[in-house]
Amino acid sequence: MSVSDEQRSASPSEYAGANAHAFGPGRHLRSRSKVLPEHARGHNRALVLQTLYHSGAMSRADLSRETGLTRVTISDLVAEFIADGIVIEMGVREAVGPGKPPILIDIDRFGHQIVGLDLSGPDAFTGAVLSLDGDVLERREVPRPKSPDGEAAYAALRELAQTLVEASTQPLLGVGIGTPGVVRPDGLVLSSPNLGWTNFPLEAKLGVDLDLPVLARNDANAAVLAEYTFGEAKADFMLIKIGKGVGAGLITGSQPLLGSRFAAGEIGHVVVGTDGGPRCACGKDGCLEAWLSVSRLEAAIAADPEARDEILRDAGTRMAIATAPIVAALDLSEVVISGPAELLDGILIEAAIATLRARTLEGVFEDVVVRLTHQEDIVLRGAAVMVLSGQLGVS
Ligand SMILES: [Zn+2]
């Protein structure tokens, strides 16, 4: 019987407060860098927290078995985590053999919270206080500035963040932000035309203003992390986020793909086909975003309700034409779509599946899945994964 089986069969009273949440094993983002001796300690810390996060409460002996680290190393690390307030003892499990019943330990899931912010909405910046398991506990929003104005956008987001910090009821592990635009790994927004930011040090500035750790990423890159950690996604997939704009986040080999300009997944302004198409906000004709954004689909259907099916079929076809080379080049197993189900589920996704099949190598890519994500608040939850990953090495 595995450790997690034992936990499931134990009655709740046997270890008061033990968390019912346990995410599937092996959902961690893999590090491609080699573990050097001086990094081993940090690596071991992350490994222990990762194991506890996904498997739930367990004894030090279980943890040693699961991680392959010695009991002495586990004891030292756990003592350190307890002193830091990251891990707590949860009580004892009923003894199954002779000897002292083991004390169960777990990440202090109720002793910390995370603030997540989503700047991708058409009318409002939304935010939430989240649990370490990614559940939304409190929700707030502020109106989004009507026109691109970097200062006004920052003022609105800071106000939202401060309101949420005040609404939190436990010490905060950090603040995560998903924003439209191209974002460097250190949280500097290289370019976000809709918000009026160019080379804007979002992470550093808000970190000083809030006096908390802040992490900022592109909104689709945040969403893909949420799907990876909390959803059912595989090790190689892309998530296409369809809202005011269209963008994608990619995970390959269990690792976020950023690219040479940190712009991997910026597929919204790729022109699809050579036959023109709707005029895009960027000035070109037939960008993927011009076919597929929620506002474009809604406007086209409102203008000609009888053509609804055809409009959705065209959009799904164009999405797959743009996606097929990416699926083939990276050998992805899934394309996950995030956006309003009433528009995207059904005709649009069916057209995308048919087109993807028709445009990729027979016998190889036939099992590629195209589906809608089940997750709501995907950017907020992704922002929580950013903080978990950045602060604890957990994802
Ligand atoms: Zn465009």
Side-chain angles (χ1 to χ4, degrees):
M1 191 192 274
S2 77
V3 171
S4 51
D5 286 336
E6 278 172 38
Q7 281 166 18
R8 273 194 285 276
S9 61
S11 82
S13 60
E14 283 162 7
Y15 45 101
N19 201 294
H21 271 288
F23 298 105
R27 303 301 303 149
H28 58 287
L29 297 168
R30 225 173 59 201
S31 169
R32 274 179 187 149
S33 55
K34 203 170 153 217
V35 179
L36 301 168
E38 63 266 33
H39 297 148
R41 189 168 179 76
H43 174 81
N44 290 347
R45 281 177 65 97
L47 178 61
V48 167
L49 292 175
Q50 183 76 21
T51 305
L52 283 174
Y53 184 73
H54 289 286
S55 302
M58 61 173 73
S59 70
R60 288 171 176 80
D62 293 338
L63 203 47
S64 168
R65 244 190 326 271
E66 291 273 311
T67 59
L69 299 174
T70 66
R71 296 247 192 150
V72 174
T73 302
I74 291 292
S75 285
D76 285 354
L77 285 173
V78 168
E80 217 173 89
F81 291 141
I82 289 175
D84 291 345
I86 297 168
V87 159
I88 49 166
E89 295 189 329
M90 312 282 298
V92 296
R93 181 165 60 215
E94 199 174 271
V96 280
K100 225 167 68 177
I103 296 167
L104 298 174
I105 52 167
D106 195 4
I107 289 185
D108 187 4
R109 291 166 199 264
F110 302 108
H112 296 90
Q113 291 170 346
I114 294 170
V115 164
L117 304 173
D118 176 2
L119 311 185
S120 68
D123 306 312
F125 293 160
T126 57
V129 177
L130 297 113
S131 73
L132 296 201
D133 293 316
D135 297 325
V136 170
L137 306 172
E138 287 283 338
R139 194 186 289 274
R140 300 282 187 280
E141 62 174 55
V142 296
R144 175 194 169 114
K146 292 271 175 279
S147 53
D149 176 345
E151 266 179 49
Y154 181 72
L157 125 84
R158 187 181 53 202
E159 183 200 323
L160 176 63
Q162 277 163 345
T163 311
L164 287 161
V165 169
E166 281 160 27
S168 65
T169 56
Q170 295 292 338
L172 288 168
L173 207 56
V175 178
I177 311 171
T179 174
V182 180
V183 186
R184 224 164 58 179
D186 64 355
L188 180 133
V189 181
L190 290 167
S191 161
S192 184
N194 291 339
L195 296 178
W197 290 338
T198 307
N199 295 325
F200 181 68
L202 175 58
E203 208 173 279
K205 198 166 162 61
L206 192 65
V208 169
D209 283 353
L210 298 179
D211 195 20
L212 281 168
V214 172
L215 290 147
R217 298 287 178 270
N218 168 272
D219 58 330
N221 288 348
V224 83
L225 292 178
E227 191 63 25
Y228 184 80
T229 298
F230 300 125
E232 300 142 29
K234 307 290 193 305
D236 298 271
F237 74 104
M238 73 188 294
L239 181 137
I240 303 178
K241 190 169 170 291
I242 302 172
K244 185 179 160 65
V246 173
L250 290 141
I251 299 255
T252 61
S254 296
Q255 176 91 353
L257 184 72
L258 297 179
S260 61
R261 302 168 185 81
F262 318 112
E266 283 291 334
I267 58 172
H269 300 282
V270 169
V271 174
V272 192
T274 54
D275 57 345
R279 175 60 54 93
C280 182
C282 77
K284 288 186 289 205
D285 291 330
C287 288
L288 183 60
E289 188 167 302
W291 285 103
L292 200 56
S293 74
V294 169
S295 47
R296 186 267 159 175
L297 291 176
E298 283 174 345
I301 292 167
D304 187 0
E306 282 185 10
R308 184 179 188 275
D309 290 4
E310 199 188 321
I311 291 162
L312 294 175
R313 200 174 298 117
D314 274 353
T317 303
R318 297 285 170 165
M319 182 177 79
I321 292 173
T323 309
I326 306 168
V327 168
L330 300 176
D331 189 7
L332 303 178
S333 57
E334 281 192 323
V335 178
V336 182
I337 316 292
S338 171
E342 65 275 15
L343 283 175
L344 306 175
D345 218 2
I347 295 170
L348 190 148
I349 284 186
E350 281 158 23
I353 292 169
T355 306
L356 201 57
R357 297 269 147 80
R359 286 177 173 252
T360 49
L361 182 61
E362 225 180 300
V364 175
F365 297 107
E366 264 142 19
D367 59 348
V368 175
V369 173
V370 182
R371 64 172 173 87
L372 209 59
T373 176
H374 302 300
Q375 295 194 65
E376 286 171 21
D377 301 315
I378 195 164
V379 175
L380 296 177
R381 286 158 69 82
V385 175
M386 282 155 44
V387 173
L388 283 166
S389 171
Q391 296 297 99
L392 303 182
V394 163
S395 56

